[in-house]
Amino acid sequence: MTRKHHHFKGAEVSCCVKYFLFGFNIIFWLLGAAFLAIGLWAWAEKGVLSNLSSITDLGGFDPVWLFIVVGGVMFVLGFAGCIGALRENTFLLKFFSVFLGLIFFLELTAGILAFVFKDWIKDQLNFFINNNVKAYRDDIDLQNLIDFAQEYWSCCGAHGPDDWNLNIYFNCTDKNPSRERCGVPFSCCVKDPAEDVINTQCGYDVRLQGELNRQKYIYTKGCVGQFEKWLQDNLIIVAGIFVGIALLQIFGICLAQNLVSDVKAVKPCPSPPKNSLFLMRLFPLPAPEDCS
């Protein structure tokens, strides 16, 4: 049963597959461009673009990297899928499907390794959080990320409030001149529902008190344990999100491979649209002998 779209010696390219893949990827492409723009704007605001050596100065994790990397991957993939579908370019379509398949394989491998080496992952998470605790005041984006995590999971530090001894502003040493000495960030404080304005000084000197008194004012559970508990409580939702992402990736790969098969089956190669001269020069259609 043949499709009735383009007639080239009995074989046709499915318009449904072609334009669905194009629409699917243009959204992906635009999202990637937005992520990249946000990341570059954040770096420009922090002066990183004018001094690239400052990228390595931060001791902890810079959240902007997440926008740059994710946005870059989405942009490249969306571009390849978009132009490959629109121009029926088999090279770009194959690049799109192989790259997407590689990402899917890496995600699957990471999931399996995380399940098998749970204790190692927990240790690495603890190490990661403590490193970022040390660099808390070094970067405003990192500071906001830590504050959000501590408020959302009602936690303080990796294993508890005393982890803030790792930070030069909050440690309890006698040589520390900071007013925040022996304290914790305001995001560790138990919120008072009656307060309309956040008290950013609520964590001052709180670690000078005993364990029982601390519980009245700050969260005493560590973020590693709270995150682990959150995962267990929301396992179905988290698993559903990952399965949904995996299915979208598989769907995209299948669409791209289907379109590649259709294009190869078309003889002679489809002629370029008259209004696509710019794209034709950038991404010329394959010669007839390459379409078999």
Side-chain angles (χ1 to χ4, degrees):
M1 184 175 179
T2 59
R3 301 183 183 95
K4 299 179 180 180
H5 298 282
H6 302 295
H7 298 280
F8 301 112
K9 294 186 180 181
E12 297 82 24
V13 174
S14 171
C15 282
C16 288
V17 173
K18 175 178 177 177
Y19 290 110
F20 191 86
L21 185 63
F22 173 76
F24 176 81
N25 278 284
I26 200 165
I27 297 172
F28 207 59
W29 188 10
L30 292 174
L31 281 174
F35 272 48
L36 264 178
I38 291 170
L40 292 174
W41 171 80
W43 268 359
E45 287 293 304
K46 292 192 288 187
V48 173
L49 295 182
S50 58
N51 181 20
L52 292 178
S53 62
S54 62
I55 293 176
T56 58
D57 291 344
L58 181 61
F61 170 70
D62 186 352
V64 177
W65 271 112
L66 195 60
F67 285 90
I68 297 290
V69 173
V70 172
V73 171
M74 289 176 67
F75 185 84
V76 170
L77 271 178
F79 178 82
C82 251
I83 304 302
L86 187 64
R87 299 293 303 135
E88 297 175 11
N89 187 295
T90 55
F91 173 78
L92 287 177
L93 289 171
K94 287 177 181 177
F95 173 81
F96 169 79
S97 58
V98 170
F99 200 178
L100 199 57
L102 179 62
I103 292 173
F104 174 75
F105 175 76
L106 291 175
E107 290 171 348
L108 185 63
T109 303
I112 293 171
L113 290 176
F115 180 77
V116 174
F117 301 104
K118 287 186 287 188
D119 293 336
W120 182 82
I121 294 293
K122 191 173 179 179
D123 291 339
Q124 293 304 307
L125 182 60
N126 175 53
F127 178 75
F128 174 77
I129 294 176
N130 282 335
N131 264 352
N132 289 294
V133 163
K134 292 178 186 177
Y136 177 74
R137 293 292 190 204
D138 296 349
D139 183 81
I140 187 63
D141 293 321
L142 175 61
Q143 182 175 315
N144 290 334
L145 180 64
I146 293 174
D147 286 335
F148 170 78
Q150 292 190 145
E151 287 178 340
Y152 185 79
W153 283 299
S154 302
C155 59
C156 191
H159 288 295
D162 287 332
D163 288 336
W164 283 98
N165 273 326
L166 296 169
N167 188 278
I168 59 172
Y169 298 98
F170 295 98
N171 70 62
C172 275
T173 58
D174 295 332
K175 295 181 180 179
N176 182 9
S178 172
R179 179 61 189 87
E180 295 175 309
R181 176 180 173 272
C182 287
V184 292
F186 73 92
S187 53
C188 285
C189 295
V190 177
K191 299 298 178 290
D192 184 353
E195 286 185 350
D196 294 328
V197 180
I198 296 174
N199 178 13
T200 56
Q201 299 179 357
C202 60
Y204 283 12
D205 303 322
V206 73
R207 286 190 295 116
L208 292 173
Q209 303 181 34
E211 184 69 28
L212 290 176
N213 286 333
R214 287 185 191 180
Q215 295 179 9
K216 300 176 184 177
Y217 306 106
I218 63 171
Y219 304 120
T220 55
K221 294 180 179 178
C223 290
V224 174
Q226 288 295 88
F227 176 68
E228 203 172 14
K229 182 179 179 295
W230 179 85
L231 275 181
Q232 292 173 355
D233 293 342
N234 298 275
L235 189 59
I236 295 176
I237 296 174
V238 174
I241 292 172
F242 278 103
V243 169
I245 293 172
L247 289 176
L248 276 177
Q249 290 172 324
I250 294 170
F251 183 61
I253 293 169
C254 291
L255 281 179
Q257 289 301 316
N258 192 347
L259 190 55
V260 168
S261 299
D262 280 0
V263 172
K264 285 187 174 182
V266 172
K267 292 183 180 182
C269 293
S271 57
K274 294 179 181 179
N275 58 350
S276 302
L277 294 177
F278 176 72
L279 291 176
M280 181 184 68
R281 289 169 185 167
L282 284 177
F283 306 102
L285 289 169
E289 60 269 21
D290 296 329
C291 295
S292 55

